Amino acid sequence: MIDYSKVLSGTVVDTPKSGIRKFFDLMNTMQDVVGLTVGEPDFQTPWHIREAGIESLERGKTYYTANAGLSALREEINTYLTRKFNISYDPAKEIIVTVGGSEAIDIAFRAVIEAGDEVIVPTPSFVCYAPLVRMAGGVPVILETKFEDRFKIDPEALKAAITPRTKMLVLPYPNNPTGAIMTREELSEIAKILENTNILVLSDEIYAEMTYTGTHCSIASLEGMWERTIVASGFSKAYAMTGWRLGYLCAPAPLCEQMLKIHQYGIMSSPTTSQFAAIEALKNGDTDIQMMVEEYNRRRRYIYNGLRSIGIEAFEPEGAFYIFPKIGVYGMSGEEFCNRLLYEYKCAIVPGNAFGQGGDGFARISYAYSIKHITQALERIEAFVKTL
Amino acid sequence: MKTQLLKLLEHNATLTPEQLAVALDVDADSVRAAIAELEQSGTILGYKTIIDWEKTDREAVSAMIDVKLTPQRDRGFDRVAERIYNYPEVKSVYLMSGGYDLSVLIEGKTMKEVAFFVSQKLATIDGVISTATHFVLHKYKDTGVLYDAPEIDERGTFS
Ligand SMILES: Cc1ncc(COP(=O)(O)O)c(C=O)c1O
């Protein structure tokens, strides 16, 4: 009989399952749960974008595209980034269309990490960074961000985390799960630390459009940073296109050339139908984004006020569609709080420790839900908190 | 703020001033004042509930009727339109461009009742030249709301 423990990669076997998954599995065993757990838009992809996908199928566009993606799409990505964030890339050499922001992040790590290389991963953050670094043979160095700093990177802490083996800093803003953003001024502090080093930045800007207190600033737009930054982004959040699995990477040509090899051998090319839809999204999707962002913004204020009036402490989130309240003040761990809220009041929110170090004592609440649904959930949270 | 407020209410009239206030980032009293003003000026005309009557055992049919008119001196179509819209069976009346003049939406209990209304009341009004009645067989979407697709959250929990 085959002994699977002998054939599987130890690195993969030792990688823990995503902490969110554990909680979701629990939640799915129960009925009538009002959850604020989901990390994707509740909107469907705007119809004109879906139609562009359908039309491409009707016209028989069912073949592979160029490895890096349709050139028309890469042109549009560049136009969009220039227009919105004042960063530009050569569509021929500096943009790769990927299978979601997820693949973009993965191949960025794989192209630069050699065994033992360190990647600084601020937490709490999206669950994929540290496991992907490890699977690429690297060592994630956790940089815990703090409630007191509104979950932004503290420049001093960053300096302390840098070693001669540091290859890369992950910059996950606007942040899932905290809702934190980093402003131009705050980013320049980071830039100053990195400017004379060989350290790259992987800037995950997938929530860039969901910035409510001003406009998003990409670190690549700062003096001296373009040459050392890989921007990973995608269509999932801004255009409510999670299921289309489409994202992109932008980086200087010498980096892209290598990342493209991984994409070429591992993926070939991103889904063609999705690429046609994405062209339409970038060309004519501004009003959709505006509509959705206005709606998220209303919910953001609604939930922030709602939690505060229940007496739960949270800082006002400025980006993405999550709020990260402090729930570790009721004499139990965050996980226990979430479990009891789920079992006793049938309301699901995700324990903050699922998002890494520094998340314990907090919970991620997603507001990608209707106001009505949020109201229901808040009522249950209030009922629970009153008993404590 | 007013346009935003109207958009929110158009979508969901059950939001309380407190909820609206948070959504609009103003205080609840300003929302109350704005609503009062909009009601007074006739910008907000009412609040209703969207009901799919097919899901109940109440009998109801509706019909769209194209009505051709002869314009009257001085008052154009207004006078006739008024005579039509005063009937409680008439739910909407629109003045149209194109092949006919008024589009009239009528609701009744049965087709017979609607047909009777059209032939006996509508067609006999002075100034009405002709009517063409189209019964509604099924509503797919009304005032922006889908009838057959109840909102189910199909999102799994993956990320
Ligand atoms: C911060 C962050 N980055 C990247 C992703 C990946 O998104 P996708 O692969 O759908 O583009 C997510 C999804 O939840 C995310 O929250």
Side-chain angles (χ1 to χ4, degrees), chain A residues 109-260:
Chain A
F109 288 147
R110 290 208 273 156
V112 303
I113 292 173
E114 286 190 288
D117 283 346
E118 293 177 2
V119 174
I120 299 176
V121 177
T123 62
S125 59
F126 183 46
V127 294
C128 80
Y129 308 122
L132 289 179
V133 167
R134 251 184 242 112
M135 289 194 234
V139 179
V141 173
I142 302 303
L143 179 65
E144 204 180 302
T145 61
K146 303 233 151 57
F147 183 77
E148 300 78 63
D149 300 331
R150 302 165 75 81
F151 294 106
K152 296 168 192 281
I153 294 175
D154 169 28
E156 291 310 312
L158 173 61
K159 268 190 218 163
I162 292 174
T163 75
R165 297 229 55 173
T166 306
K167 265 271 172 82
M168 192 183 242
L169 164 70
V170 176
L171 197 64
Y173 296 94
N175 186 274
N176 169 12
T178 62
I181 61 162
M182 286 192 65
T183 63
R184 175 173 296 273
E185 293 68 38
E186 289 154 354
L187 290 172
S188 3
E189 294 299 309
I190 306 297
K192 263 190 231 148
I193 297 170
L194 302 179
E195 68 191 347
N196 293 314
T197 67
N198 252 336
I199 301 173
L200 289 170
V201 175
L202 173 61
S203 187
D204 181 349
E205 304 185 15
I206 198 151
Y207 288 105
E209 291 283 1
M210 283 111 201
T211 302
Y212 307 105
T213 50
T215 46
H216 171 75
C217 172
S218 172
I219 196 164
S221 68
L222 300 187
E223 175 92 22
M225 288 310 287
W226 186 91
E227 62 173 44
R228 61 178 68 253
T229 303
I230 301 173
V231 173
S233 190
F235 299 88
S236 288
K237 318 287 172 169
Y239 298 98
M241 292 179 72
T242 47
W244 300 77
R245 307 309 306 125
L246 209 68
Y248 51 89
L249 265 176
C250 303
L255 293 172
C256 261
E257 196 185 329
Q258 305 308 322
M259 295 190 288
L260 185 59

Side-chain angles (χ1 to χ4, degrees), chain A residues 97-115:
Chain A
V97 178
T98 56
V99 180
S102 302
E103 191 218 346
I105 295 164
D106 187 31
I107 67 179
F109 288 147
R110 290 208 273 156
V112 303
I113 292 173
E114 286 190 288

